[in-house]
Amino acid sequence: MKLATLKYIGRNGRPTRDGKLVVVDRTLSRYIEVPEICGTMQEALDDWEATAPGLESVYHRLNAGEETEHAPFDATNCMAPLPRCYQWIDGSAYVNHVELVRKARGADMPESYWHDPLMYQGGSDHLIGPHAPVEIISEDYGIDFEAEVAVITDDVPMHVSLEQAPRHIKLLCLVNDVSLRNLIPAELAKGFGFFHSKPASAFSPVAITPDELGPHWNGNKVHLPLVTTYNEVEFGRPNAGIDMTFNFAQLISHAAKTRHLGAGTIIGSGTVSNKDASVGSSCLAEKRMLEIIANGKTETGFMKFGDHIRIEMPGPDGEPLFGAISQFVIEHAICQEEVRYTSAFE
């Protein structure tokens, strides 16, 4: 099943913060509204056992051509599947990436990182859609993209076991977890984690149920290439199922070690990375570190205003799975803060 959240104008004439939930067909060409089942993605996740069967039925009828009230699907009208959520947690499941990026900033790699997942809790009140711009105040911050896969859960009990954790994975999506690399060292030196260095993350137009991946969803990993195109040139296509040290069941279990996770919790994989450098990278920082290893110096700079990033995961036959994240980097106009914040939900 494939679901999306479209921009929606409320009764007061203003865009709603949570949009409206729609069911999208397998080819991402048509959608249908489902107000009789639930109005938003969060409502669906809050009572997944009750809402999923109805949504699944609509999905099958839509694919079979039995739904006559459908409309053309346009990803530019999408918000993030969950425009705001109760919890956005990002892991670092690809320890190869962690090791390289830490080297890039002169930090040692503790042995424990191979056995105990890294996680940070990101800002969940403002998650942006696949075509929303990456708004940054200064290029000096060291703007970087990070292509990731994420899962969305229902309610997860505290201390959930590895065996039970997969049952709570209801949807998957793609993420551009933007990082401001030049702000990271000073923040981490304070010993309290990321904050300013992690602006709003962007999400794919569509979230899908694991069964849409067929045999490529195996071992609680997605075994397909994640393709990143930077300024219209392919940057990397590492396979998300290779070199993933911690699978999504392990990430969920780790996140729930001391707390319950509410329905609609999003858990990211961290930047997808393969040890085989020939497949490219999913962020600029990793490529920069590989350049230092190979040539003793960095040749690749960070993103500039006007740069374009595209992140997608085609199916094995080239069919669209999640749709594409397609964003331009723009300078945030400080004098228009209120206008821009409002427009983010339009």
Side-chain angles (χ1 to χ4, degrees):
M1 175 167 58
K2 299 190 177 187
L3 305 174
T5 295
L6 299 187
K7 300 168 187 175
Y8 179 63
I9 303 299
R11 285 177 292 183
N12 60 1
R14 299 184 63 184
T16 63
R17 291 177 180 263
D18 300 308
K20 63 179 176 182
L21 177 70
V22 298
V23 176
V24 185
D25 77 334
R26 185 167 285 111
T27 63
L28 306 192
S29 59
R30 298 170 296 167
Y31 78 87
I32 187 167
E33 299 179 20
V34 285
E36 71 283 0
I37 300 175
C38 51
T40 68
M41 186 76 77
Q42 185 61 54
E43 289 177 25
L45 291 160
D46 282 340
D47 196 8
W48 187 257
E49 295 303 315
T51 60
L55 295 171
E56 190 76 40
S57 178
V58 171
Y59 179 65
H60 288 304
R61 294 199 303 273
L62 184 61
N63 287 318
E66 298 171 0
E67 290 284 357
T68 60
E69 301 299 321
H70 60 77
F73 180 70
D74 181 355
T76 62
N77 291 327
C78 287
M79 305 172 77
L82 280 169
R84 52 180 175 170
C85 70
Y86 289 108
Q87 192 156 216
W88 156 230
I89 306 167
D90 201 20
S92 282
Y94 301 87
V95 182
N96 174 66
H97 165 77
V98 180
E99 186 173 35
L100 288 171
V101 173
R102 286 182 67 86
K103 284 183 179 178
R105 62 173 186 261
D108 293 330
M109 175 72 174
E111 175 62 25
S112 63
Y113 283 18
W114 292 96
H115 314 292
D116 194 31
L118 286 173
M119 282 188 168
Y120 83 90
Q121 195 165 31
S124 61
D125 58 330
H126 183 209
L127 305 178
I128 60 177
H131 288 266
V134 178
E135 291 185 89
I136 306 296
I137 291 174
S138 172
E139 292 177 347
D140 294 338
Y141 289 171
I143 310 163
D144 200 356
F145 53 84
E146 291 191 50
E148 307 184 8
V149 181
V151 297
I152 305 176
T153 75
D154 62 2
D155 289 307
V156 181
M158 185 190 305
H159 205 63
V160 67
S161 68
L162 287 175
E163 294 72 27
Q164 295 294 323
R167 299 184 181 184
H168 298 284
I169 298 172
K170 301 307 176 187
L171 297 166
L172 296 102
C173 57
L174 304 182
V175 188
N176 179 16
D177 181 45
V178 178
S179 286
L180 303 179
R181 299 293 182 187
N182 293 340
L183 301 186
I184 290 176
E187 284 203 315
L188 295 187
K190 296 178 181 180
F192 223 51
F194 300 120
F195 194 78
H196 292 146
S197 52
K198 288 292 187 177
S201 297
F203 291 78
S204 55
V206 170
I208 69 175
T209 49
D211 61 290
E212 289 293 323
L213 295 167
H216 304 287
W217 175 247
N218 183 23
N220 299 304
K221 302 177 183 180
V222 180
H223 294 266
L224 287 169
L226 181 61
V227 181
T228 301
T229 304
Y230 180 38
N231 288 333
E232 317 317 317
V233 177
E234 185 173 302
F235 189 83
R237 55 170 58 238
N239 190 299
I242 297 175
D243 301 321
M244 189 181 191
T245 308
F246 305 103
N247 64 33
F248 281 112
Q250 290 171 298
L251 294 178
I252 291 171
S253 181
H254 182 79
K257 181 176 181 178
T258 61
R259 66 181 73 180
H260 303 287
L261 308 179
T265 291
I266 306 174
I267 299 181
S269 66
T271 306
V272 175
S273 176
N274 290 171
K275 293 178 182 178
D276 178 6
S278 70
V279 299
S281 300
S282 297
C283 72
L284 293 168
E286 183 172 301
K287 183 176 182 181
R288 285 163 59 90
M289 190 58 228
L290 290 170
E291 290 170 347
I292 292 173
I293 293 172
N295 307 314
K297 62 179 181 179
T298 295
E299 301 173 358
T300 301
F302 289 120
M303 301 182 85
K304 303 294 184 182
F305 297 140
D307 282 356
H308 179 250
I309 185 67
R310 182 180 176 93
I311 299 168
E312 57 195 324
M313 181 178 276
D317 297 322
E319 74 276 15
L321 285 175
F322 303 91
I325 297 171
S326 180
Q327 299 179 279
F328 285 94
V329 180
I330 68 170
E331 182 177 11
H332 175 73
I334 301 174
C335 62
Q336 296 182 6
E337 286 183 13
E338 183 176 352
V339 173
R340 285 189 176 275
Y341 184 75
T342 301
S343 68
F345 300 100
E346 294 179 353

